[in-house]
Amino acid sequence: MKPSYIRVIIDRAIHRELDYAVPETLAERVGIGTRVRVPFRDRSALATVVATLDHSDAKGIRPIEAIIGEGPALSGPLLELARWIGAYYCCPLETVMRSLLPQVIRKAEIGWKKQLFVRPARKIEDEELDKLKKRAPRQAELLEAISKLDSPILASELLRKTSLDNQTLRALSKRGLIELREEAVERDPHGDEQFLETANLELNAEQANALEQVSNAVASPENARPILLHGVTGSGKTEIYLQAIAVALKHGRSAIVLVPEKSITPQTVERFKGRFASTPDTVAVLHSHLSQGERHDEWHKINSGRARIVIGARSAVFAPLKNLGLIIVDEEHETTYKQEEAPRYHARDVAVVRAKIEKCAVVLGSATPSLESYHNAITEKYKLATLTQRVDGQQMPLMRIVDLRQERRKGKIAPILSEKLSQAISDRLEKREQTILFLNRRGFSTSLLCSNCGEARDCPNCSVALTFHRHLARLSCHLCGHTAAVPKKCPACGQDALIYAGFGTEKVEATVTQFFPKAVVRRMDADSMTRKEAYRETLRNFRTGKIDILVGTQMIAKGLHFPNVTLVGIINADLSLHMPDFRAGERTFQLLTQVAGRAGRGERTGEVFVQTYTPFSPSIQFARHHDFAGYFQQELEFRERCDFPPFKHAVLITVRSAHEGRAKLSAETLVRRLKENLGAEFTLGDAMPAPLQKLQGQFRFHILLRGGAIMRLSRLVRETLDKLPFPEDVAVAVDVDPYQLL
Ligand SMILES: [Zn+2]
Ligand SMILES: [Zn+2]
């Protein structure tokens, strides 16, 4: 049925839906999810169709101007998902759309890449060719080459092969002997790579059991619960994913695999592309390194149904696959699944909701599940599948705790390498085995202090100390990127008394090089790996044994598999433990477990040294004994006692302004209004200066709300905000289920 009217949401933040008329000529091509251009006030705007109507009561209704792109960009289920995200995360629908549709599709400014192809126009007789040889030998040469073709060839490729020029080609075309045609070619980010088809690996009993659970859920998703796949590092989760995807394809359905952005390595792509190599277009990859053109083509490959498996980071949860059968969220505990700008959605939670809407199976996999998912599993909202064995039959690494307090008593100040750890390193060097040293902090020294007046060099825009980077010979702010020269004397008191305090990966590298002058030491962090090539090269050299010791940040904590690494040193386990964040303990536990998983994945058992000033903290002790259940139990008790997630939802409101007084006043006014509007079922804190009080020149205040009924809470917050006029230079951000509490 052709619609007479449509309801749209415009790409701009106007917080409401508008009706337009559809001209007869366009009616055929308009439906839910179509992108259109409409007149809006005195200009044009892009919009998405959210409903088709027989009539509209709106006044002064105007017709749409044009249809953008090919076919609908959004399916009904995805639109339903968008509405859920808007309601849950307290966010206008047009903002949700910004994440749901890639910019290149929304704006439709980039289209297909067209290239010129050549083919013979008709059969060429030998006689004709002989004649041409006399008059125009070069044209004849080219024509001869073309007449031998089985299929059309790229003009550029033909000219390169024959060393002839474009003019000759055009002349043949003018004579009507050949045909030139522009055709769309696909920009495939992995088009120049060869993938060898791989066969299924044999599964052990635990894996087979897990696969059976997933297969059952794929076959009858109506009554299936989400599955939490809790498997220790190296337990072969990916193989289960691959075989489960094959099951989904066999049922004629499609699959999404979400992985954290940093885990989309060439190895990951190869694993998925390789398994389905017999049908090369089946796997599409979405990640942040794609060019706009590649993103355009991959998206269309998915939307048209040619690609049926999508591997991607956070926003791939919105991949426009039809007939979805399975969504996999690997490393579901990863906080990068949470988007830190509006819409502040969590891709794992969105995946579970999309699975419910599309009636498909969903698997959340992790070696260290989030407390939220684990709680859902033990309360039987989710099904739990457990893998306790490593596929190579390896033992879990031995964890040794090094008490830095004792090291300090021995007279060393803030040791980077304890005696025990450096002993272990030299032992590995002797045996020609490899070591990974982990520290979650970049730079050389973390602050520059005056020993005379105590003044630290703080960032002028943020309330943090500037970090000294030796290779740059400058101070830099890790939050806003501000850099400054290193002063010779204290700018506050004028004394020559500046000292460097604290340390980052750059200093660890320097110290290790000093201790072990013969070892090859490399560093891997955001400073040393500014080029993608550098990252690959370092990994390659480490894998082939050209590097003895790799020093790095969380960049090296995940998913890397190096059989010859038998030692992992965690330089300071306390860094994440003392953050003002109720998840600090959980993050430390996850980090220790993940980093430890890098050790001993070959034939030799690994060893992990954890350096800490708090050796008896539960996160460290439970991680040491690989005791997940024990850790979760005590952490859940703590969360329940304090009304923290997963027992209550949290909503964090940040009010900020370059003007401190206005930010504070606005936050206090907001708290008063919220008190009037929220029922007693919700807990509301006072407006407090944020732990990171100043960021990028803005003063920040926090309001923390908690409650059980999150949809209701979100709605009340939205209603309160809509009625409250804030000064122009005050910005308010609402974060539902926040992960960033600074
Ligand atoms: Zn001073
Ligand atoms: Zn700064």
Side-chain angles (χ1 to χ4, degrees):
M1 194 194 67
K2 293 188 205 167
S4 312
Y5 299 94
I6 51 171
R7 185 157 292 162
V8 305
I9 44 166
I10 289 187
D11 286 2
R12 288 182 224 169
I14 57 163
H15 302 339
R16 62 203 168 90
E17 297 169 9
L18 300 172
D19 290 358
Y20 286 90
V22 183
E24 184 71 31
T25 48
L26 295 179
E28 199 79 51
R29 293 166 52 211
V30 169
I32 289 175
T34 310
R35 295 281 294 163
V36 291
R37 194 168 62 232
V38 297
F40 177 65
R41 295 185 186 144
D42 53 355
R43 59 181 84 168
S44 291
L46 295 179
T48 310
V49 178
V50 295
T52 56
L53 316 162
D54 297 333
H55 80 283
S56 166
D57 296 328
K59 296 206 171 62
I61 209 157
R62 293 196 275 175
I64 63 169
E65 293 169 353
I67 290 171
I68 305 294
E70 316 149 27
L74 219 54
S75 65
L78 274 175
L79 195 59
E80 192 182 338
L81 186 66
R83 289 198 191 279
W84 179 86
I85 292 171
Y88 186 98
Y89 292 104
C90 196
C91 174
L93 198 54
E94 55 263 30
T95 311
V96 179
M97 286 298 170
R98 279 209 298 264
S99 284
L100 215 69
L101 283 176
Q103 189 189 338
V104 63
I105 302 302
R106 258 186 299 126
K107 302 222 159 133
E109 282 162 355
I110 294 177
W112 295 99
K113 184 179 175 184
K114 297 272 174 66
Q115 284 190 315
L116 198 61
F117 282 84
V118 185
R119 73 183 86 204
R122 56 180 167 80
K123 174 126 182 53
I124 312 293
E125 303 299 334
D126 291 347
E127 228 171 274
E128 206 172 353
L129 198 60
D130 287 339
K131 263 197 218 160
L132 192 63
K133 267 183 189 157
K134 283 171 203 145
R135 273 184 296 148
R138 296 204 309 175
Q139 287 182 32
E141 189 189 333
L142 191 57
L143 184 62
E144 198 168 7
I146 295 169
S147 62
K148 283 181 193 147
L149 292 173
D150 300 326
S151 56
I153 186 171
L154 259 180
S156 54
E157 197 183 323
L158 174 76
L159 296 178
R160 189 162 39 80
K161 277 186 182 161
T162 56
S163 315
L164 290 164
D165 57 16
N166 199 27
Q167 216 179 339
T168 320
L169 188 72
R170 296 282 165 189
L172 283 177
S173 159
K174 242 183 220 159
R175 285 179 195 273
L177 295 170
I178 61 162
E179 193 187 327
L180 294 177
R181 194 190 294 174
E182 291 243 294
E183 277 172 34
V185 288
E186 210 155 74
R187 287 156 287 207
D188 182 345
H190 301 278
D192 54 351
E193 293 163 54
Q194 289 283 326
F195 297 100
L196 293 178
E197 193 174 353
T198 59
N200 285 355
L201 301 179
E202 204 176 309
L203 303 181
N204 63 31
E206 283 181 338
Q207 285 176 301
N209 173 49
L211 177 64
E212 195 188 325
Q213 290 197 37
V214 181
S215 304
N216 289 343
V218 171
S220 45
E222 305 77 31
N223 28 28
R225 289 173 279 160
I227 296 167
L228 176 63
L229 179 59
H230 177 196
V232 296
T233 39
S235 58
K237 290 188 285 293
T238 310
E239 184 59 30
I240 296 173
Y241 300 158
L242 287 163
Q243 297 193 24
I245 293 167
V247 171
L249 293 191
K250 216 175 280 167
H251 280 86
R253 308 187 71 177
S254 57
I256 296 175
V257 186
L258 297 183
V259 289
E261 176 78 42
K262 60 175 171 285
S263 303
I264 310 182
T265 58
Q267 291 96 309
T268 311
V269 173
E270 196 178 331
R271 244 185 126 181
F272 283 89
K273 289 244 181 194
R275 182 62 57 88
F276 301 96
S278 60
T279 44
D281 275 347
T282 306
V283 180
V285 183
L286 297 174
H287 55 75
S288 63
H289 292 303
L290 297 184
S291 69
Q292 291 289 48
E294 286 169 343
R295 191 178 304 279
H296 170 272
D297 292 3
E298 290 289 279
W299 191 90
H300 278 286
K301 199 158 92 182
I302 299 163
N303 200 36
S304 68
R306 275 198 301 130
R308 294 169 67 209
I309 304 166
V310 174
I311 318 293
R314 182 171 60 219
S315 64
V317 72
F318 303 122
L321 284 163
K322 311 265 154 38
N323 212 358
L324 201 53
L326 174 64
I327 307 177
I328 293 163
V329 185
D330 192 27
E331 306 202 45
E332 64 86 29
H333 64 278
E334 263 291 325
T335 51
T336 53
Y337 282 128
K338 170 81 174 175
Q339 177 152 294
E340 292 300 343
E341 58 195 56
R344 294 180 172 77
Y345 70 93
H346 194 299
R348 173 198 62 216
D349 300 341
V350 170
V352 171
V353 175
R354 183 167 182 194
K356 204 166 149 194
I357 293 173
E358 306 241 19
K359 295 192 180 52
C360 78
V362 60
V363 177
L364 315 178
S366 176
T368 51
S370 64
L371 220 58
E372 283 83 352
S373 296
Y374 190 76
H375 185 246
N376 280 331
I378 57 175
T379 54
E380 303 203 334
K381 263 177 85 180
Y382 293 176
K383 235 173 141 170
L384 183 64
T386 315
L387 308 174
T388 57
Q389 309 289 322
R390 286 183 166 198
V391 281
D392 54 9
Q394 267 296 309
Q395 295 292 305
M396 295 304 283
L398 274 175
M399 274 224 205
R400 304 187 189 282
I401 311 294
V402 181
D403 187 346
L404 288 179
R405 296 172 307 177
Q406 286 182 12
E407 295 278 323
R408 178 140 73 181
R409 267 178 233 127
K410 283 186 215 153
K412 288 181 189 167
I413 302 156
I416 292 176
L417 290 181
S418 59
E419 253 175 65
K420 283 174 191 153
L421 180 54
S422 56
Q423 199 71 61
I425 295 175
S426 62
D427 173 60
R428 294 316 187 283
L429 289 171
E430 235 160 71
K431 288 197 234 158
R432 304 208 49 80
E433 294 172 4
Q434 290 168 297
T435 299
I436 287 178
L437 296 178
F438 177 85
L439 180 68
N440 216 358
R441 193 158 61 185
R442 298 183 285 127
F444 193 82
S445 298
T446 43
S447 56
L448 185 58
L449 293 167
C450 174
S451 60
N452 181 46
C453 71
E455 193 78 14
R457 302 305 311 146
D458 282 344
C459 174
N461 312 317
C462 312
S463 41
V464 292
L466 294 171
T467 300
F468 173 59
H469 288 256
R470 197 167 67 169
H471 71 290
L472 298 172
R474 279 183 87 77
L475 300 169
S476 98
C477 172
H478 286 179
L479 295 174
C480 72
H482 171 85
T483 71
V486 183
K488 291 223 161 43
K489 287 177 181 159
C490 172
C493 70
Q495 292 288 309
D496 186 6
L498 293 173
I499 50 165
Y500 292 100
F503 58 86
T505 42
E506 203 184 348
K507 188 158 183 184
V508 174
E509 183 192 18
T511 308
V512 173
T513 310
Q514 201 182 351
F515 264 59
F516 306 102
K518 284 185 189 144
V520 181
V521 184
R522 287 287 175 277
R523 174 165 55 94
M524 207 156 148
D525 57 26
D527 296 321
S528 65
M529 296 295 135
T530 45
R531 290 177 307 119
K532 200 162 86 182
E533 224 4 79
Y535 176 77
R536 288 187 187 180
E537 194 182 301
T538 305
L539 284 186
R540 195 164 49 233
N541 288 339
F542 193 55
R543 179 165 291 118
T544 52
K546 287 179 190 149
I547 296 170
D548 299 311
I549 302 169
L550 189 63
V551 178
T553 54
Q554 66 244 55
M555 214 179 234
I556 58 172
K558 301 281 155 67
L560 304 173
H561 175 84
F562 303 111
N564 200 34
V565 173
T566 56
L567 174 66
V568 169
I570 294 164
I571 302 294
N572 186 346
D574 305 331
L575 276 188
S576 56
L577 205 52
H578 302 304
M579 298 292 262
D581 182 340
F582 66 87
R583 287 194 181 86
E586 184 185 3
R587 282 183 185 160
T588 304
F589 178 81
Q590 288 169 346
L591 193 67
L592 292 183
T593 308
Q594 296 278 350
V595 176
R598 300 305 115 222
R601 298 187 76 175
E603 286 144 23
R604 291 166 288 255
T605 305
E607 214 177 6
V608 179
F609 283 77
V610 180
Q611 303 192 134
T612 172
Y613 286 102
T614 52
F616 297 108
S617 85
S619 313
I620 292 175
Q621 282 301 326
F622 282 110
R624 176 190 185 182
H625 295 109
H626 310 289
D627 182 0
F628 300 97
Y631 177 73
F632 288 132
Q633 198 48 49
Q634 68 88 31
E635 184 68 21
L636 279 173
E637 278 165 21
F638 155 72
R639 298 278 184 93
E640 187 163 26
R641 229 173 24 241
C642 305
D643 265 352
F644 276 129
F647 297 94
K648 287 282 163 65
H649 284 280
V651 175
L652 182 68
I653 304 180
T654 305
V655 181
R656 63 181 164 82
S657 168
H659 189 281
E660 188 174 5
R662 270 201 289 280
K664 184 162 185 275
L665 192 67
S666 301
E668 285 166 354
T669 312
L670 178 56
V671 168
R672 268 202 308 280
R673 286 299 164 81
L674 286 168
K675 267 195 186 131
E676 290 161 19
N677 294 354
L678 299 180
E681 57 179 303
F682 302 111
T683 327
L684 171 64
D686 285 328
M688 302 282 278
L692 192 59
Q693 203 187 345
K694 196 177 171 200
L695 178 66
Q696 299 178 336
Q698 300 263 314
F699 293 90
R700 307 158 75 243
F701 288 82
H702 274 171
I703 302 164
L704 187 67
L705 301 100
R706 271 174 287 170
I710 186 63
M711 280 296 194
R712 204 171 113 76
L713 181 55
S714 268
R715 184 168 52 77
L716 291 171
V717 168
R718 168 61 44 213
E719 286 170 7
T720 308
L721 285 173
D722 282 349
K723 280 188 220 132
L724 207 61
F726 289 101
E728 205 150 86
D729 62 347
V730 171
V732 180
V734 182
D735 193 353
V736 175
D737 300 342
Y739 277 73
Q740 195 56 265
L741 299 175
L742 298 177

